[in-house]
Amino acid sequence: MEQRIVVTGASSGIGRAVAVHAARRGWRVLGVARREERLATLAAETGCETLVADLTSDDDVARLVEAATAFGATGLVHVAGGALGSAPIPATTLDDWQGMFDMNVLSTKRVLTGLLPQLRASTAGGTYASIQVVTSIAATTPYVGGSGYNAAKAAEKALVDVLRLEVHGEPIRVMEVRPGMVRTEEFSLVRFEGDQAKADAVYEGVQDPLTADDVAQVMTDALALPGHVSIDEVVIKPVAQTHAWMVHRGPLQAKS
């Protein structure tokens, strides 16, 4: 069966890498993001179709649903999201919390609600549909300074877990991907409001943090499995990261 996947957050980071990997596999891709110029570059490089949309907007998600239906989507890879701030709880702002819940929870609800009818319709010929959502190890492991992001990703994970229960008996696999430390060009930079020094410090001294390409390879490998095989949950961390807050800095060396 031809894979036709909608990839959100496709203008950068993991979402872009997934779109590139999927195109290399010969799958049809509809890349969705807010930044038109970046999507144009992605389309030129991969031949994928694109749609400019802000997933916190009901109107934009309605346009996405229309486009995904015309596209004949058989799968959804929902990557869009993000973190804002790293202050202790009393110093966090409600604006940041609202932003993180809009980006990570409400956008996921909108997209899943909107695309589920098309994904169900795509199974009419006896095939399987796929839903793959990127959350974070922050969804299950709290850490100091992560309160708003921990809460948002925990809520997003709960949403995915409930969806898997609610499509019981249907030919739809629901997969969650929980990455740990991934060095991308924007995640930490956005979190620290453009402070490049703080963003760089997150990865300082860490041997081989994950790249977006690493995560995308795992995600597309999972999607490439036979449709009846569902990897419900996968946690991906670099070897240097044993726990969300336990990161080795310096060379990795075997103990004598």
PDB file of all heavy atoms in Angstrom, residues 107-144:
ATOM      1  N   SER A 107      -3.486  21.671  20.188  1.00  0.00           N
ATOM      2  CA  SER A 107      -3.231  21.451  18.760  1.00  0.00           C
ATOM      3  C   SER A 107      -3.332  19.965  18.426  1.00  0.00           C
ATOM      4  O   SER A 107      -3.858  19.590  17.370  1.00  0.00           O
ATOM      5  CB  SER A 107      -1.859  21.989  18.364  1.00  0.00           C
ATOM      6  OG  SER A 107      -0.814  21.198  18.883  1.00  0.00           O
ATOM      7  N   THR A 108      -2.847  19.120  19.320  1.00  0.00           N
ATOM      8  CA  THR A 108      -2.934  17.668  19.094  1.00  0.00           C
ATOM      9  C   THR A 108      -4.389  17.231  19.068  1.00  0.00           C
ATOM     10  O   THR A 108      -4.795  16.434  18.212  1.00  0.00           O
ATOM     11  CB  THR A 108      -2.168  16.910  20.193  1.00  0.00           C
ATOM     12  OG1 THR A 108      -0.817  17.373  20.217  1.00  0.00           O
ATOM     13  CG2 THR A 108      -2.172  15.413  19.929  1.00  0.00           C
ATOM     14  N   LYS A 109      -5.186  17.767  19.972  1.00  0.00           N
ATOM     15  CA  LYS A 109      -6.615  17.436  20.008  1.00  0.00           C
ATOM     16  C   LYS A 109      -7.287  17.871  18.701  1.00  0.00           C
ATOM     17  O   LYS A 109      -8.060  17.122  18.099  1.00  0.00           O
ATOM     18  CB  LYS A 109      -7.261  18.131  21.208  1.00  0.00           C
ATOM     19  CG  LYS A 109      -8.670  17.604  21.544  1.00  0.00           C
ATOM     20  CD  LYS A 109      -9.737  18.293  20.709  1.00  0.00           C
ATOM     21  CE  LYS A 109     -11.107  17.885  21.223  1.00  0.00           C
ATOM     22  NZ  LYS A 109     -12.078  17.705  20.139  1.00  0.00           N
ATOM     23  N   ARG A 110      -6.989  19.087  18.265  1.00  0.00           N
ATOM     24  CA  ARG A 110      -7.595  19.583  17.025  1.00  0.00           C
ATOM     25  C   ARG A 110      -7.248  18.684  15.830  1.00  0.00           C
ATOM     26  O   ARG A 110      -8.111  18.304  15.041  1.00  0.00           O
ATOM     27  CB  ARG A 110      -7.094  21.001  16.725  1.00  0.00           C
ATOM     28  CG  ARG A 110      -7.663  22.107  17.584  1.00  0.00           C
ATOM     29  CD  ARG A 110      -7.205  23.461  17.049  1.00  0.00           C
ATOM     30  NE  ARG A 110      -7.699  24.560  17.869  1.00  0.00           N
ATOM     31  CZ  ARG A 110      -7.027  25.105  18.870  1.00  0.00           C
ATOM     32  NH1 ARG A 110      -5.817  24.653  19.175  1.00  0.00           N
ATOM     33  NH2 ARG A 110      -7.546  26.099  19.567  1.00  0.00           N
ATOM     34  N   VAL A 111      -5.960  18.378  15.708  1.00  0.00           N
ATOM     35  CA  VAL A 111      -5.503  17.622  14.543  1.00  0.00           C
ATOM     36  C   VAL A 111      -6.041  16.194  14.566  1.00  0.00           C
ATOM     37  O   VAL A 111      -6.504  15.672  13.538  1.00  0.00           O
ATOM     38  CB  VAL A 111      -3.962  17.639  14.476  1.00  0.00           C
ATOM     39  CG1 VAL A 111      -3.459  16.693  13.397  1.00  0.00           C
ATOM     40  CG2 VAL A 111      -3.463  19.053  14.215  1.00  0.00           C
ATOM     41  N   LEU A 112      -6.015  15.556  15.723  1.00  0.00           N
ATOM     42  CA  LEU A 112      -6.526  14.186  15.811  1.00  0.00           C
ATOM     43  C   LEU A 112      -8.027  14.149  15.518  1.00  0.00           C
ATOM     44  O   LEU A 112      -8.505  13.284  14.773  1.00  0.00           O
ATOM     45  CB  LEU A 112      -6.246  13.607  17.195  1.00  0.00           C
ATOM     46  CG  LEU A 112      -4.784  13.304  17.513  1.00  0.00           C
ATOM     47  CD1 LEU A 112      -4.652  12.832  18.961  1.00  0.00           C
ATOM     48  CD2 LEU A 112      -4.220  12.253  16.567  1.00  0.00           C
ATOM     49  N   THR A 113      -8.766  15.065  16.101  1.00  0.00           N
ATOM     50  CA  THR A 113     -10.205  15.114  15.862  1.00  0.00           C
ATOM     51  C   THR A 113     -10.504  15.336  14.376  1.00  0.00           C
ATOM     52  O   THR A 113     -11.375  14.689  13.795  1.00  0.00           O
ATOM     53  CB  THR A 113     -10.855  16.239  16.691  1.00  0.00           C
ATOM     54  OG1 THR A 113     -10.667  15.956  18.082  1.00  0.00           O
ATOM     55  CG2 THR A 113     -12.347  16.344  16.411  1.00  0.00           C
ATOM     56  N   GLY A 114      -9.749  16.262  13.775  1.00  0.00           N
ATOM     57  CA  GLY A 114     -10.011  16.592  12.388  1.00  0.00           C
ATOM     58  C   GLY A 114      -9.638  15.503  11.405  1.00  0.00           C
ATOM     59  O   GLY A 114     -10.365  15.252  10.433  1.00  0.00           O
ATOM     60  N   LEU A 115      -8.510  14.825  11.641  1.00  0.00           N
ATOM     61  CA  LEU A 115      -8.017  13.865  10.647  1.00  0.00           C
ATOM     62  C   LEU A 115      -8.520  12.446  10.843  1.00  0.00           C
ATOM     63  O   LEU A 115      -8.408  11.616   9.930  1.00  0.00           O
ATOM     64  CB  LEU A 115      -6.488  13.865  10.643  1.00  0.00           C
ATOM     65  CG  LEU A 115      -5.842  14.796   9.600  1.00  0.00           C
ATOM     66  CD1 LEU A 115      -6.244  16.246   9.829  1.00  0.00           C
ATOM     67  CD2 LEU A 115      -4.337  14.638   9.579  1.00  0.00           C
ATOM     68  N   LEU A 116      -9.066  12.145  12.013  1.00  0.00           N
ATOM     69  CA  LEU A 116      -9.496  10.769  12.267  1.00  0.00           C
ATOM     70  C   LEU A 116     -10.510  10.251  11.242  1.00  0.00           C
ATOM     71  O   LEU A 116     -10.390   9.098  10.791  1.00  0.00           O
ATOM     72  CB  LEU A 116     -10.045  10.654  13.691  1.00  0.00           C
ATOM     73  CG  LEU A 116     -10.218   9.233  14.237  1.00  0.00           C
ATOM     74  CD1 LEU A 116      -8.928   8.430  14.139  1.00  0.00           C
ATOM     75  CD2 LEU A 116     -10.710   9.284  15.686  1.00  0.00           C
ATOM     76  N   PRO A 117     -11.502  11.037  10.814  1.00  0.00           N
ATOM     77  CA  PRO A 117     -12.431  10.507   9.793  1.00  0.00           C
ATOM     78  C   PRO A 117     -11.721  10.088   8.497  1.00  0.00           C
ATOM     79  O   PRO A 117     -12.041   9.044   7.921  1.00  0.00           O
ATOM     80  CB  PRO A 117     -13.389  11.681   9.553  1.00  0.00           C
ATOM     81  CG  PRO A 117     -13.384  12.428  10.850  1.00  0.00           C
ATOM     82  CD  PRO A 117     -11.970  12.343  11.327  1.00  0.00           C
ATOM     83  N   GLN A 118     -10.763  10.888   8.025  1.00  0.00           N
ATOM     84  CA  GLN A 118     -10.032  10.527   6.815  1.00  0.00           C
ATOM     85  C   GLN A 118      -9.186   9.269   7.041  1.00  0.00           C
ATOM     86  O   GLN A 118      -9.124   8.384   6.171  1.00  0.00           O
ATOM     87  CB  GLN A 118      -9.133  11.676   6.352  1.00  0.00           C
ATOM     88  CG  GLN A 118      -8.094  11.299   5.309  1.00  0.00           C
ATOM     89  CD  GLN A 118      -8.685  10.654   4.068  1.00  0.00           C
ATOM     90  OE1 GLN A 118      -9.791  10.984   3.649  1.00  0.00           O
ATOM     91  NE2 GLN A 118      -7.948   9.722   3.460  1.00  0.00           N
ATOM     92  N   LEU A 119      -8.545   9.164   8.193  1.00  0.00           N
ATOM     93  CA  LEU A 119      -7.730   7.985   8.468  1.00  0.00           C
ATOM     94  C   LEU A 119      -8.594   6.733   8.543  1.00  0.00           C
ATOM     95  O   LEU A 119      -8.214   5.667   8.049  1.00  0.00           O
ATOM     96  CB  LEU A 119      -6.933   8.184   9.756  1.00  0.00           C
ATOM     97  CG  LEU A 119      -5.910   9.325   9.719  1.00  0.00           C
ATOM     98  CD1 LEU A 119      -5.220   9.488  11.073  1.00  0.00           C
ATOM     99  CD2 LEU A 119      -4.874   9.092   8.623  1.00  0.00           C
ATOM    100  N   ARG A 120      -9.765   6.874   9.123  1.00  0.00           N
ATOM    101  CA  ARG A 120     -10.692   5.736   9.136  1.00  0.00           C
ATOM    102  C   ARG A 120     -11.112   5.361   7.718  1.00  0.00           C
ATOM    103  O   ARG A 120     -11.134   4.186   7.344  1.00  0.00           O
ATOM    104  CB  ARG A 120     -11.925   6.080   9.981  1.00  0.00           C
ATOM    105  CG  ARG A 120     -11.694   5.983  11.476  1.00  0.00           C
ATOM    106  CD  ARG A 120     -12.889   6.437  12.282  1.00  0.00           C
ATOM    107  NE  ARG A 120     -12.773   6.000  13.670  1.00  0.00           N
ATOM    108  CZ  ARG A 120     -13.195   6.691  14.717  1.00  0.00           C
ATOM    109  NH1 ARG A 120     -13.763   7.888  14.536  1.00  0.00           N
ATOM    110  NH2 ARG A 120     -13.054   6.217  15.940  1.00  0.00           N
ATOM    111  N   ALA A 121     -11.420   6.363   6.909  1.00  0.00           N
ATOM    112  CA  ALA A 121     -11.850   6.110   5.538  1.00  0.00           C
ATOM    113  C   ALA A 121     -10.751   5.429   4.730  1.00  0.00           C
ATOM    114  O   ALA A 121     -11.029   4.618   3.829  1.00  0.00           O
ATOM    115  CB  ALA A 121     -12.266   7.417   4.869  1.00  0.00           C
ATOM    116  N   SER A 122      -9.486   5.724   5.049  1.00  0.00           N
ATOM    117  CA  SER A 122      -8.372   5.169   4.273  1.00  0.00           C
ATOM    118  C   SER A 122      -8.213   3.663   4.458  1.00  0.00           C
ATOM    119  O   SER A 122      -7.511   3.017   3.685  1.00  0.00           O
ATOM    120  CB  SER A 122      -7.061   5.867   4.665  1.00  0.00           C
ATOM    121  OG  SER A 122      -6.580   5.428   5.924  1.00  0.00           O
ATOM    122  N   THR A 123      -8.868   3.106   5.477  1.00  0.00           N
ATOM    123  CA  THR A 123      -8.751   1.663   5.739  1.00  0.00           C
ATOM    124  C   THR A 123      -9.835   0.846   5.034  1.00  0.00           C
ATOM    125  O   THR A 123      -9.894  -0.370   5.203  1.00  0.00           O
ATOM    126  CB  THR A 123      -8.834   1.378   7.254  1.00  0.00           C
ATOM    127  OG1 THR A 123     -10.175   1.646   7.722  1.00  0.00           O
ATOM    128  CG2 THR A 123      -7.855   2.232   8.039  1.00  0.00           C
ATOM    129  N   ALA A 124     -10.651   1.506   4.225  1.00  0.00           N
ATOM    130  CA  ALA A 124     -11.807   0.828   3.619  1.00  0.00           C
ATOM    131  C   ALA A 124     -11.411  -0.373   2.762  1.00  0.00           C
ATOM    132  O   ALA A 124     -12.167  -1.335   2.636  1.00  0.00           O
ATOM    133  CB  ALA A 124     -12.612   1.817   2.773  1.00  0.00           C
ATOM    134  N   GLY A 125     -10.225  -0.338   2.176  1.00  0.00           N
ATOM    135  CA  GLY A 125      -9.796  -1.460   1.324  1.00  0.00           C
ATOM    136  C   GLY A 125      -9.146  -2.591   2.075  1.00  0.00           C
ATOM    137  O   GLY A 125      -8.556  -3.487   1.452  1.00  0.00           O
ATOM    138  N   GLY A 126      -9.233  -2.560   3.403  1.00  0.00           N
ATOM    139  CA  GLY A 126      -8.648  -3.634   4.202  1.00  0.00           C
ATOM    140  C   GLY A 126      -7.242  -3.338   4.696  1.00  0.00           C
ATOM    141  O   GLY A 126      -6.543  -4.249   5.147  1.00  0.00           O
ATOM    142  N   THR A 127      -6.819  -2.078   4.615  1.00  0.00           N
ATOM    143  CA  THR A 127      -5.484  -1.702   5.063  1.00  0.00           C
ATOM    144  C   THR A 127      -5.537  -1.075   6.455  1.00  0.00           C
ATOM    145  O   THR A 127      -6.611  -0.927   7.044  1.00  0.00           O
ATOM    146  CB  THR A 127      -4.851  -0.697   4.071  1.00  0.00           C
ATOM    147  OG1 THR A 127      -5.722   0.431   3.939  1.00  0.00           O
ATOM    148  CG2 THR A 127      -4.656  -1.349   2.712  1.00  0.00           C
ATOM    149  N   TYR A 128      -4.375  -0.707   6.939  1.00  0.00           N
ATOM    150  CA  TYR A 128      -4.244  -0.096   8.268  1.00  0.00           C
ATOM    151  C   TYR A 128      -3.861   1.373   8.140  1.00  0.00           C
ATOM    152  O   TYR A 128      -3.126   1.748   7.225  1.00  0.00           O
ATOM    153  CB  TYR A 128      -3.166  -0.810   9.091  1.00  0.00           C
ATOM    154  CG  TYR A 128      -3.536  -2.194   9.550  1.00  0.00           C
ATOM    155  CD1 TYR A 128      -3.411  -3.282   8.696  1.00  0.00           C
ATOM    156  CD2 TYR A 128      -3.993  -2.428  10.845  1.00  0.00           C
ATOM    157  CE1 TYR A 128      -3.738  -4.567   9.111  1.00  0.00           C
ATOM    158  CE2 TYR A 128      -4.325  -3.702  11.277  1.00  0.00           C
ATOM    159  CZ  TYR A 128      -4.199  -4.765  10.400  1.00  0.00           C
ATOM    160  OH  TYR A 128      -4.527  -6.042  10.819  1.00  0.00           O
ATOM    161  N   ALA A 129      -4.326   2.181   9.070  1.00  0.00           N
ATOM    162  CA  ALA A 129      -3.914   3.582   9.166  1.00  0.00           C
ATOM    163  C   ALA A 129      -2.987   3.738  10.359  1.00  0.00           C
ATOM    164  O   ALA A 129      -3.002   2.928  11.292  1.00  0.00           O
ATOM    165  CB  ALA A 129      -5.128   4.490   9.315  1.00  0.00           C
ATOM    166  N   SER A 130      -2.173   4.797  10.325  1.00  0.00           N
ATOM    167  CA  SER A 130      -1.188   5.024  11.383  1.00  0.00           C
ATOM    168  C   SER A 130      -1.316   6.429  11.956  1.00  0.00           C
ATOM    169  O   SER A 130      -1.487   7.400  11.214  1.00  0.00           O
ATOM    170  CB  SER A 130       0.233   4.854  10.834  1.00  0.00           C
ATOM    171  OG  SER A 130       0.440   3.572  10.296  1.00  0.00           O
ATOM    172  N   ILE A 131      -1.196   6.512  13.275  1.00  0.00           N
ATOM    173  CA  ILE A 131      -1.089   7.792  13.971  1.00  0.00           C
ATOM    174  C   ILE A 131       0.155   7.709  14.842  1.00  0.00           C
ATOM    175  O   ILE A 131       0.295   6.791  15.655  1.00  0.00           O
ATOM    176  CB  ILE A 131      -2.327   8.071  14.836  1.00  0.00           C
ATOM    177  CG1 ILE A 131      -3.570   8.227  13.959  1.00  0.00           C
ATOM    178  CG2 ILE A 131      -2.119   9.318  15.696  1.00  0.00           C
ATOM    179  CD1 ILE A 131      -4.871   8.308  14.752  1.00  0.00           C
ATOM    180  N   GLN A 132       1.044   8.654  14.654  1.00  0.00           N
ATOM    181  CA  GLN A 132       2.294   8.683  15.421  1.00  0.00           C
ATOM    182  C   GLN A 132       2.458  10.087  15.993  1.00  0.00           C
ATOM    183  O   GLN A 132       2.461  11.067  15.246  1.00  0.00           O
ATOM    184  CB  GLN A 132       3.461   8.320  14.503  1.00  0.00           C
ATOM    185  CG  GLN A 132       4.772   8.031  15.205  1.00  0.00           C
ATOM    186  CD  GLN A 132       5.846   7.620  14.209  1.00  0.00           C
ATOM    187  OE1 GLN A 132       6.188   8.396  13.315  1.00  0.00           O
ATOM    188  NE2 GLN A 132       6.378   6.424  14.342  1.00  0.00           N
ATOM    189  N   VAL A 133       2.554  10.173  17.311  1.00  0.00           N
ATOM    190  CA  VAL A 133       2.639  11.472  17.984  1.00  0.00           C
ATOM    191  C   VAL A 133       3.950  11.549  18.759  1.00  0.00           C
ATOM    192  O   VAL A 133       4.294  10.641  19.520  1.00  0.00           O
ATOM    193  CB  VAL A 133       1.452  11.689  18.943  1.00  0.00           C
ATOM    194  CG1 VAL A 133       1.566  13.044  19.644  1.00  0.00           C
ATOM    195  CG2 VAL A 133       0.131  11.595  18.190  1.00  0.00           C
ATOM    196  N   VAL A 134       4.670  12.647  18.569  1.00  0.00           N
ATOM    197  CA  VAL A 134       5.893  12.883  19.325  1.00  0.00           C
ATOM    198  C   VAL A 134       5.535  13.641  20.604  1.00  0.00           C
ATOM    199  O   VAL A 134       5.009  14.761  20.541  1.00  0.00           O
ATOM    200  CB  VAL A 134       6.910  13.686  18.497  1.00  0.00           C
ATOM    201  CG1 VAL A 134       8.122  14.057  19.363  1.00  0.00           C
ATOM    202  CG2 VAL A 134       7.358  12.883  17.286  1.00  0.00           C
ATOM    203  N   THR A 135       5.818  13.030  21.745  1.00  0.00           N
ATOM    204  CA  THR A 135       5.663  13.724  23.029  1.00  0.00           C
ATOM    205  C   THR A 135       7.074  14.039  23.548  1.00  0.00           C
ATOM    206  O   THR A 135       7.801  14.787  22.921  1.00  0.00           O
ATOM    207  CB  THR A 135       4.839  12.904  24.022  1.00  0.00           C
ATOM    208  OG1 THR A 135       5.485  11.643  24.282  1.00  0.00           O
ATOM    209  CG2 THR A 135       3.437  12.652  23.482  1.00  0.00           C
ATOM    210  N   SER A 136       7.473  13.449  24.643  1.00  0.00           N
ATOM    211  CA  SER A 136       8.806  13.694  25.196  1.00  0.00           C
ATOM    212  C   SER A 136       8.988  12.809  26.416  1.00  0.00           C
ATOM    213  O   SER A 136       8.001  12.381  27.033  1.00  0.00           O
ATOM    214  CB  SER A 136       8.940  15.167  25.610  1.00  0.00           C
ATOM    215  OG  SER A 136      10.105  15.376  26.388  1.00  0.00           O
ATOM    216  N   ILE A 137      10.243  12.563  26.794  1.00  0.00           N
ATOM    217  CA  ILE A 137      10.441  11.883  28.079  1.00  0.00           C
ATOM    218  C   ILE A 137       9.927  12.763  29.212  1.00  0.00           C
ATOM    219  O   ILE A 137       9.652  12.273  30.304  1.00  0.00           O
ATOM    220  CB  ILE A 137      11.911  11.479  28.320  1.00  0.00           C
ATOM    221  CG1 ILE A 137      12.845  12.688  28.283  1.00  0.00           C
ATOM    222  CG2 ILE A 137      12.358  10.420  27.341  1.00  0.00           C
ATOM    223  CD1 ILE A 137      14.269  12.362  28.715  1.00  0.00           C
ATOM    224  N   ALA A 138       9.751  14.051  28.934  1.00  0.00           N
ATOM    225  CA  ALA A 138       9.174  14.951  29.942  1.00  0.00           C
ATOM    226  C   ALA A 138       7.736  14.578  30.278  1.00  0.00           C
ATOM    227  O   ALA A 138       7.210  14.997  31.311  1.00  0.00           O
ATOM    228  CB  ALA A 138       9.221  16.398  29.445  1.00  0.00           C
ATOM    229  N   ALA A 139       7.089  13.783  29.426  1.00  0.00           N
ATOM    230  CA  ALA A 139       5.711  13.367  29.680  1.00  0.00           C
ATOM    231  C   ALA A 139       5.604  12.434  30.875  1.00  0.00           C
ATOM    232  O   ALA A 139       4.557  12.366  31.523  1.00  0.00           O
ATOM    233  CB  ALA A 139       5.134  12.679  28.439  1.00  0.00           C
ATOM    234  N   THR A 140       6.681  11.726  31.163  1.00  0.00           N
ATOM    235  CA  THR A 140       6.637  10.729  32.242  1.00  0.00           C
ATOM    236  C   THR A 140       7.686  10.956  33.319  1.00  0.00           C
ATOM    237  O   THR A 140       7.642  10.306  34.359  1.00  0.00           O
ATOM    238  CB  THR A 140       6.830   9.313  31.671  1.00  0.00           C
ATOM    239  OG1 THR A 140       8.041   9.270  30.891  1.00  0.00           O
ATOM    240  CG2 THR A 140       5.661   8.921  30.776  1.00  0.00           C
ATOM    241  N   THR A 141       8.628  11.868  33.059  1.00  0.00           N
ATOM    242  CA  THR A 141       9.714  12.093  34.016  1.00  0.00           C
ATOM    243  C   THR A 141       9.828  13.572  34.357  1.00  0.00           C
ATOM    244  O   THR A 141      10.326  14.363  33.556  1.00  0.00           O
ATOM    245  CB  THR A 141      11.065  11.614  33.434  1.00  0.00           C
ATOM    246  OG1 THR A 141      10.931  10.269  32.984  1.00  0.00           O
ATOM    247  CG2 THR A 141      12.155  11.699  34.487  1.00  0.00           C
ATOM    248  N   PRO A 142       9.357  13.993  35.532  1.00  0.00           N
ATOM    249  CA  PRO A 142       9.463  15.404  35.906  1.00  0.00           C
ATOM    250  C   PRO A 142      10.908  15.786  36.189  1.00  0.00           C
ATOM    251  O   PRO A 142      11.719  14.947  36.596  1.00  0.00           O
ATOM    252  CB  PRO A 142       8.608  15.497  37.173  1.00  0.00           C
ATOM    253  CG  PRO A 142       8.594  14.117  37.732  1.00  0.00           C
ATOM    254  CD  PRO A 142       8.684  13.189  36.565  1.00  0.00           C
ATOM    255  N   TYR A 143      11.224  17.045  35.952  1.00  0.00           N
ATOM    256  CA  TYR A 143      12.563  17.538  36.276  1.00  0.00           C
ATOM    257  C   TYR A 143      12.472  19.000  36.682  1.00  0.00           C
ATOM    258  O   TYR A 143      11.527  19.703  36.321  1.00  0.00           O
ATOM    259  CB  TYR A 143      13.524  17.343  35.093  1.00  0.00           C
ATOM    260  CG  TYR A 143      13.094  17.975  33.792  1.00  0.00           C
ATOM    261  CD1 TYR A 143      13.398  19.306  33.498  1.00  0.00           C
ATOM    262  CD2 TYR A 143      12.398  17.229  32.842  1.00  0.00           C
ATOM    263  CE1 TYR A 143      13.019  19.874  32.293  1.00  0.00           C
ATOM    264  CE2 TYR A 143      12.013  17.796  31.636  1.00  0.00           C
ATOM    265  CZ  TYR A 143      12.322  19.112  31.369  1.00  0.00           C
ATOM    266  OH  TYR A 143      11.946  19.680  30.181  1.00  0.00           O
ATOM    267  N   VAL A 144      13.440  19.444  37.461  1.00  0.00           N
ATOM    268  CA  VAL A 144      13.457  20.810  37.972  1.00  0.00           C
ATOM    269  C   VAL A 144      13.471  21.787  36.802  1.00  0.00           C
ATOM    270  O   VAL A 144      14.260  21.659  35.864  1.00  0.00           O
ATOM    271  CB  VAL A 144      14.690  21.035  38.873  1.00  0.00           C
ATOM    272  CG1 VAL A 144      14.812  22.510  39.245  1.00  0.00           C
ATOM    273  CG2 VAL A 144      14.600  20.165  40.125  1.00  0.00           C
TER     274      VAL A 144
END
